[in-house]
Amino acid sequence: LIVEVNSHNLCKKRFEDPEFKERKRNFSSEIKIETVKLGKMELNKKRPEINIKEEVLQISVSEEEDVYTALKLGLTDYVKKNNFHKVILGLSGGIDSALVATIARDALGSENVMGLFMPSRFTSIESREDAYTLAKNLNISLIEVSIEGPFEKFLEELQPYFKNLPFNETEENIQARIRGILLMAFSNKFGYLVLSTGNKSEYSVGYCTLYGDMVGGFALLKDVPKTLVYKLASWRNGKEGFALIPERIIKKAPTAELKENQRDQDSLPPYEILDQIIHYYIEEDLSAYEIIEKGFEREVVEKVIKSIDKAEYKRRQAPPGVKITPKAFGKDRRMPITHKYIL
């Protein structure tokens, strides 16, 4: 190894160092120092030019492919590194569970994914057909267990107390929690990991049921907005070359089917608007006033923000999931559960 040293500058720096001066005073004179001249060397000799050809490898990846790959990787790692072998999820015939099942099949193989179809009196014929078609396309096993019997029994036992009170979220949540119990029963009995199917839009505003559709060990779509869920489903179908996820699942109005003629938009703004407000409020930290200034209705903005702040206690009890946005719920956004600043 040959190096060029400018001894003049080096010595100058050394002598200017106060620590070096102190060491020099304490230096033992008994040590013999010999100076050896190696001959004259030509300094600053012009070095030969090296031509380096720079090539930038450009890979064109769409947002959908990028996110889909990340979700696959996150699920694979979580399952394998936590010593699970199979996963189970509720297949409702809706878009969220369809996408989760498809990603799970792609990540783990069809033999390691089980769907549980749990119909009630409110489940449509189309949802049943779509769930079975999806399971067939993915080549995954599908078990059907009706919740009607347990639901009827709950209503019967609670009737003396509820009397003639109208049907409301209470009865809706009972259905969701029966489904959660069934999923956890299969998990405990056979050692399957339950995949929760909720998305970021629902977790944001609390449009989900504690101990119901939130049960599970891993929430794959926890950081995926609803509008992106649709894009991912369409992208996956395009890659496959046919409707792997039935087109009717993608096109029909989203519904939890917990009461007659229920639609998500009965309780929420259209997802195209909701997801934008969530993005501005959560990921860009804009205030309600700043979001309204972007052209959104004041009433809608205030309702969404109030719902987001109010639902913090639910999100604290949600399973972990894959982070795919700049700011995910959890460690990216530390907010108190108890506070007095709600609009």
Side-chain angles (χ1 to χ4, degrees):
L1 177 64
I2 299 175
V3 297
E4 294 178 2
V5 178
N6 189 324
S7 58
H8 175 74
N9 289 339
L10 178 62
C11 291
K12 185 179 178 183
K13 287 287 185 184
R14 292 286 298 276
F15 283 119
E16 289 174 351
D17 182 5
E19 292 185 5
F20 175 75
K21 291 180 180 179
E22 181 65 27
R23 289 196 302 269
K24 185 180 178 183
R25 280 196 294 269
N26 299 327
F27 196 70
S28 174
S29 59
E30 297 178 0
I31 298 176
K32 185 178 180 181
I33 301 176
E34 293 185 3
T35 302
V36 179
K37 288 188 176 182
L38 298 177
K40 190 175 181 180
M41 294 184 65
E42 186 179 352
L43 301 179
N44 300 321
K45 184 178 179 180
K46 188 177 180 181
R47 295 175 177 82
E49 293 183 0
I50 301 175
N51 294 323
I52 301 176
K53 187 179 180 182
E54 294 186 5
E55 292 185 359
V56 179
L57 181 61
Q58 294 185 346
I59 303 176
S60 179
V61 178
S62 66
E63 178 194 21
E64 291 83 4
E65 182 176 0
D66 198 20
V67 171
Y68 197 93
T69 303
L71 295 173
K72 273 179 57 181
L73 177 62
L75 178 60
T76 303
D77 275 3
Y78 192 87
V79 170
K80 292 185 177 180
K81 292 178 181 179
N82 286 289
N83 298 317
F84 288 101
H85 302 288
K86 295 189 177 185
V87 298
I88 186 170
L89 70 151
L91 271 188
S92 64
I95 185 68
D96 297 316
S97 62
L99 181 61
V100 172
T102 304
I103 296 172
R105 193 287 303 262
D106 290 346
L108 308 171
S110 57
E111 69 279 6
N112 296 315
V113 181
M114 175 182 287
L116 193 58
F117 180 63
M118 298 167 282
S120 74
R121 65 186 68 178
F122 304 115
T123 302
S124 66
I125 297 174
E126 291 78 13
S127 292
R128 177 189 298 276
E129 293 174 350
D130 291 341
Y132 275 88
T133 301
L134 176 70
K136 182 179 179 181
N137 290 350
L138 298 177
N139 194 30
I140 63 174
S141 59
L142 181 63
I143 296 175
E144 179 173 337
V145 180
S146 174
I147 70 166
E148 191 57 36
F151 182 50
E152 188 63 43
K153 188 63 177 176
F154 269 108
L155 295 180
E156 179 184 328
E157 293 294 326
L158 293 169
Q159 200 279 330
Y161 310 101
F162 290 176
K163 300 186 186 305
N164 296 320
L165 291 173
F167 187 104
N168 65 1
E169 292 85 356
T170 305
E171 287 78 9
E172 293 180 34
N173 290 340
I174 288 174
Q175 296 170 70
R177 287 172 179 143
I178 293 172
R179 291 186 171 112
I181 289 171
L182 291 173
L183 286 166
M184 291 309 302
F186 276 86
S187 173
N188 293 158
K189 185 63 70 175
F190 303 109
Y192 302 152
L193 171 69
V194 176
L195 299 182
S196 179
T197 58
N199 58 67
K200 187 172 188 175
S201 305
E202 295 169 348
Y203 282 134
S204 295
V205 296
Y207 194 66
C208 45
T209 304
L210 275 175
Y211 329 118
D213 56 323
M214 290 180 69
V215 302
F218 196 69
L220 185 59
L221 304 181
K222 185 179 182 180
D223 198 34
V224 182
K226 187 78 168 188
T227 49
L228 184 53
V229 169
Y230 283 103
K231 291 179 182 178
L232 292 173
S234 298
W235 173 85
R236 185 62 185 85
N237 279 357
K239 183 180 179 183
E240 195 69 20
F242 77 100
L244 184 67
I245 298 174
E247 282 296 323
R248 187 164 59 184
I249 290 180
I250 299 174
K251 292 180 178 179
K252 67 184 178 183
T255 172
E257 292 190 329
L258 298 173
K259 63 180 181 180
E260 291 288 352
N261 302 315
Q262 185 181 33
R263 296 289 181 270
D264 288 6
Q265 262 55 75
D266 296 340
S267 306
L268 304 174
Y271 283 113
E272 293 79 8
I273 295 174
L274 176 63
D275 285 353
Q276 288 185 70
I277 297 174
I278 292 170
H279 169 78
Y280 287 131
Y281 186 61
I282 301 300
E283 296 170 31
E284 295 194 15
D285 286 322
L286 298 188
S287 66
Y289 175 79
E290 290 171 315
I291 298 173
I292 293 167
E293 283 288 292
K294 290 184 174 291
F296 296 93
E297 295 180 14
R298 174 181 293 274
E299 183 180 350
V300 174
V301 172
E302 291 181 349
K303 179 182 178 182
V304 170
I305 289 179
K306 184 177 181 180
S307 297
I308 292 173
D309 292 341
K310 191 176 179 181
E312 186 64 33
Y313 77 99
K314 283 189 178 183
R315 291 189 291 271
R316 291 288 184 93
Q317 301 178 67
V322 181
K323 169 184 164 70
I324 61 101
T325 64
K327 183 181 285 187
F329 288 116
K331 64 184 182 66
D332 289 351
R333 186 176 186 269
R334 298 291 190 184
M335 301 297 287
I337 296 175
T338 305
H339 48 70
K340 290 291 289 183
Y341 58 78
I342 287 182
L343 288 172

